[in-house]
Amino acid sequence: MLERGEVANSWRRERWDSLRLLTPNWQCRLPGYPYKGADPDGFMTMPEVVAHIAGFAAASSAPVRTHSTVTSVRRIEGGYRVATDSGEIRCRGVVLASGAANIPRVPQVRQGVPQHIECFTAFDYRNPGRLPLGGVLVVGASATGVQLADEIQRSGRPVTLAVGEHVRLPRNYRSRDVLWWMDASGVWSQRYDEIDDLERARRLPSPQLVGTPEHATLDLNVLRAAGVEIVGRLAAIRDGRALFSGGLANQLALADLKMSRLLDTFDAWGRDYAPHAEVGPVERFEPVRGPASPRLSIDLRSGEIRSILWATGFRPDYGWLELPVFDRGGELRHDGGVVSGVPGVYAMGLPVLRRRKSTFILGAEEDARDVVGYLVRYLADGVRSV
Ligand SMILES: Cc1cc2nc3c(=O)[nH]c(=O)nc-3n(C[C@H](O)[C@H](O)[C@H](O)COP(=O)(O)OP(=O)(O)OC[C@H]3O[C@@H](n4cnc5c(N)ncnc54)[C@H](O)[C@@H]3O)c2cc1C
């Protein structure tokens, strides 16, 4: 196992100070390594995540070579040549487990930002104290965007939040954590080859959730009550003006509709398969109340906005993978983690890789079992099968 930094590198280096996991501790199960702490329903801080993963690495005696950056993977007769900054390896098979979130995904509109405005992404943001005083435009209202909008607004910097497509979820539903429902109802176990629009499922933004000791919900109603101004999706920046989509009301209504449908699914499962589960009565939540006339533009030269935080997602970095395994959009082509077009190459840790829960730590156990199964068969007889 080659790791460019240390074990749990992304959790050590690429996260902001206040971040806690949005999945409860009991869902941080790694293969054969459950959470054993005193707070199964709590949410880990970053040092706790690092300790948990480092504990797993030690318990599993995984042969990790830290501080070894892979700089290229090429095909050679009978296998692959893997170049690293500390030497070369020849191997028959390769598992790509370099992560789905190596680089912040920042939209092209960034080009139009006036020079005096400081730009940040979730990778260089650490805490609000690093931002200049004054207004902040947060672009993106998924987990990262809503969490950081809340924290920055509380620091006294007025936040405007540009809201595109998003997934609204309450933290608790019928007296259980909403992610308990995702798991127990089987929604998260749905296999990739049973999902109608797999591409879309893989691109779905992260849910508007935060892990706090209070188990608080963090939706757009909560943010508005805290003083955050919400506007539509950032569509363009022209002559120093940020232009927002007029479709905010539709985005809000769509997110509410999808949330209600998901809750219906939970209720149906509860009724049919778990009538004795210890849950509270059926609940429905108030729709998000958007502003009556959201602003459609802001003059970025006026001084109102001093910094922009791009919370617009992440992408993997396969700059070192010199194999014909990408589609025209630059995405890795794979079938449930079996990389297409080359023998003996597998992937782990990508969104909806083999199941909906593959996006999360909890998905690693079953995915690893499957992917390692393919790898072992391949190594045994050279056969590539799904
Ligand atoms: C901001 C954020 C919050 C998240 N919150 C949650 C959450 O609350 N709960 C949850 O279950 N999931 C969460 N996730 C998803 C979670 O990060 C993934 O499910 C999990 O990290 C996947 O593990 P991984 O080992 O595949 O990838 P990573 O954790 O990204 O690890 C990949 C490793 O590969 C190394 N690497 C990359 N390139 C190279 C190279 N060229 N050479 C050598 N090493 C390399 C990196 O240093 C890194 O250590 C979150 C993700 C992000 C980005």
Side-chain angles (χ1 to χ4, degrees):
M1 288 188 64
L2 302 173
E3 166 56 56
R4 64 183 168 188
E6 293 159 71
V7 168
N9 200 53
S10 52
W11 303 103
R12 291 175 197 266
R13 307 259 170 262
E14 295 166 357
R15 307 286 185 258
W16 57 96
D17 297 346
S18 65
L19 181 65
R20 284 175 182 262
L21 291 187
L22 53 77
T23 43
N25 291 337
W26 65 268
Q27 289 189 342
C28 295
R29 185 187 165 84
L30 288 161
Y33 191 78
Y35 171 80
K36 292 204 193 95
D39 188 14
D41 297 319
F43 303 94
M44 286 186 203
T45 61
M46 290 307 101
E48 288 167 344
V49 180
V50 169
H52 182 63
I53 296 176
F56 171 66
S60 64
S61 312
V64 188
R65 254 192 236 175
T66 53
H67 304 289
S68 293
T69 303
V70 175
T71 52
S72 94
V73 173
R74 285 192 190 152
R75 196 153 177 198
I76 54 170
E77 184 67 35
Y80 298 91
R81 189 174 65 209
V82 177
T84 80
D85 58 0
S86 55
E88 199 178 280
I89 293 171
R90 283 159 191 258
C91 51
R92 285 189 53 208
V94 178
V95 179
L96 310 171
S98 49
N102 307 120
I103 303 177
R105 212 185 264 276
V106 180
Q108 279 295 318
V109 293
R110 180 191 187 144
Q111 310 294 339
V113 176
Q115 272 199 339
H116 70 277
I117 291 190
E118 282 188 55
C119 283
F120 297 85
T121 67
F123 270 32
D124 40 42
Y125 172 89
R126 286 291 171 270
N127 55 60
R130 302 254 187 112
L131 302 179
L133 288 172
V136 183
L137 175 62
V138 175
V139 184
S142 295
T144 303
V146 295
Q147 291 181 25
L148 297 187
D150 183 47
E151 169 168 294
I152 295 167
Q153 178 76 25
R154 284 172 199 280
S155 78
R157 293 164 180 79
V159 170
T160 307
L161 178 63
V163 178
E165 186 190 358
H166 57 278
V167 177
R168 181 184 178 203
L169 284 184
R171 180 73 267 180
N172 292 299
Y173 182 59
R174 298 178 64 183
S175 73
R176 305 299 295 250
D177 191 281
V178 75
L179 300 184
W180 175 85
W181 287 95
M182 284 288 202
D183 186 54
S185 67
V187 170
W188 264 2
S189 294
Q190 193 181 14
R191 280 177 55 108
Y192 75 106
D193 46 9
E194 295 165 354
I195 296 174
D196 287 341
D197 192 345
L198 180 59
E199 260 185 49
R200 195 179 144 65
R202 286 182 169 157
R203 280 200 314 266
L204 210 62
S206 56
Q208 289 176 335
L209 283 177
V210 62
T212 59
E214 299 77 29
H215 296 251
T217 290
L218 182 59
D219 60 16
L220 296 173
N221 282 341
V222 172
L223 288 176
R224 286 197 72 208
V228 171
E229 177 183 356
I230 65 173
V231 293
R233 185 176 157 272
L234 177 62
I237 299 177
R238 217 167 285 143
D239 301 328
R241 288 191 82 81
L243 308 178
F244 304 106
S245 153
L248 176 64
N250 286 343
Q251 292 286 6
L252 301 181
L254 199 63
D256 281 343
L257 182 75
K258 285 187 184 161
M259 180 177 73
S260 292
R261 278 199 202 137
L262 184 65
L263 301 183
D264 289 344
T265 307
F266 294 162
D267 294 339
W269 167 80
R271 214 170 32 244
D272 298 345
Y273 298 105
H276 307 300
E278 284 176 29
V279 296
V282 170
E283 293 176 83
R284 283 297 173 266
F285 299 90
E286 253 195 274
V288 165
R289 295 175 306 275
S293 328
R295 280 203 281 178
L296 294 176
S297 74
I298 293 180
D299 186 353
L300 296 176
R301 297 158 305 189
S302 70
E304 177 189 346
I305 299 293
R306 301 295 307 279
S307 56
I308 299 182
L309 184 88
W310 300 97
T312 35
F314 306 94
R315 63 185 173 86
D317 177 7
Y318 292 124
W320 41 272
L321 189 58
E322 298 177 42
L323 298 173
V325 290
F326 301 101
D327 66 18
R328 267 184 292 171
E331 303 283 336
L332 186 74
R333 274 189 285 116
H334 69 91
D335 185 354
V338 179
V339 174
S340 316
V342 285
V345 181
Y346 305 90
M348 276 288 298
L350 300 180
V352 198
L353 182 92
R354 297 192 57 78
R355 297 168 181 82
R356 286 198 188 269
K357 66 180 160 194
S358 304
T359 310
F360 298 93
I361 293 168
L362 183 66
E365 184 165 40
E366 284 168 66
D367 287 2
R369 197 179 302 134
D370 295 348
V371 167
V372 169
Y374 298 136
L375 173 67
V376 166
R377 260 175 278 153
Y378 169 77
L379 292 176
D381 58 22
V383 173
R384 210 175 134 262
S385 55
V386 178

